[in-house]
Amino acid sequence: MAIKTFTSGEVLTAADTNTYLANSGLVYITGGSLSGTATQFVGCFTSTFTNYRILLEQGTLSAAGDFCFQYLKSTTAQTTNNYQYAYARLTSGGAGANTTAVAPIGRWGMGANGLTNLMTMAADVIYPQVAASAAYVTAQGTSLLGGPVYLSSDGMCVYGVNDSFDGIQFMGSGGQTITGYVSIYGYRKP
């Protein structure tokens, strides 16, 4: 579709608006509050989209640990040791650390490093529904945690087996109670 340029005095029609909205980049899929020790977002990954953006606002853990995730098949969390992750942390005080692991839970730069307040987190999840391809499900994200020292964390996670998923659940690394709000968007295909 060619981009239409409007000039002064022209009327923006409902058809023009619908066309521009239908061709927007991110499409809201679902969202909700985190609560308890795990919160699931079932059915958020579909064949409509290939790639997704996940945002977490004002997330907290009831005790020190890491925000983690597991992919879902229906409501069943995938708990095998197929999550391979790595992330780098840097504090506002200048201290840094790197973490790598193969585990039954995934992380993409969400490590709390002894902090309980995750201020913000954004991550892209690529190919959660593309098991037929040679590509693994990957995620890459960044987070900013709060005080008394602020911590930035950037990382990636690869599900190291060719598989497909239709949802995701969030939890703490040690069974902590979690709070916050998650929004999940799909990247519109060209």
Side-chain angles (χ1 to χ4, degrees):
M1 172 190 103
I3 297 175
K4 182 175 181 178
T5 302
F6 292 93
T7 59
S8 181
E10 279 190 275
V11 175
L12 176 63
T13 67
D16 290 328
T17 302
N18 291 338
T19 298
Y20 282 103
L21 289 174
N23 292 311
S24 64
L26 285 173
V27 177
Y28 178 79
I29 296 170
T30 190
S33 296
L34 299 176
S35 63
T37 57
T39 301
Q40 294 188 339
F41 293 89
V42 177
C44 62
F45 301 144
T46 68
S47 60
T48 303
F49 304 100
T50 304
N51 307 311
Y52 297 83
R53 175 67 125 176
I54 298 175
L55 301 175
L56 173 60
E57 305 169 38
Q58 300 300 313
T60 62
L61 295 169
S62 61
D66 294 341
F67 266 84
C68 300
F69 70 92
Q70 291 173 320
Y71 294 118
L72 300 174
K73 289 185 178 188
S74 185
T75 59
T76 303
Q78 301 307 292
T79 60
T80 57
N81 283 334
N82 292 322
Y83 299 91
Q84 300 176 41
Y85 61 84
Y87 54 89
R89 300 171 172 167
L90 181 64
T91 70
S92 57
N98 295 322
T99 302
T100 62
V102 174
I105 54 177
R107 300 169 189 177
W108 56 68
M110 300 171 72
N113 199 25
L115 305 174
T116 58
N117 182 24
L118 176 64
M119 298 174 69
T120 59
M121 184 277 296
D124 287 327
V125 176
I126 312 299
Y127 299 131
Q129 283 248 317
V130 190
S133 77
Y136 293 144
V137 179
T138 63
Q140 187 169 4
T142 186
S143 58
L144 177 64
L145 297 98
V149 175
Y150 295 94
L151 179 129
S152 173
S153 183
D154 297 293
M156 66 82 185
C157 182
V158 175
Y159 193 82
V161 173
N162 196 328
D163 211 339
S164 65
F165 310 102
D166 59 7
I168 192 167
Q169 81 173 5
F170 295 95
M171 73 280 245
S173 57
Q176 301 94 329
T177 300
I178 56 175
T179 62
Y181 190 86
V182 168
S183 298
I184 300 174
Y185 300 86
Y187 281 104
R188 187 175 299 282
K189 295 177 185 179

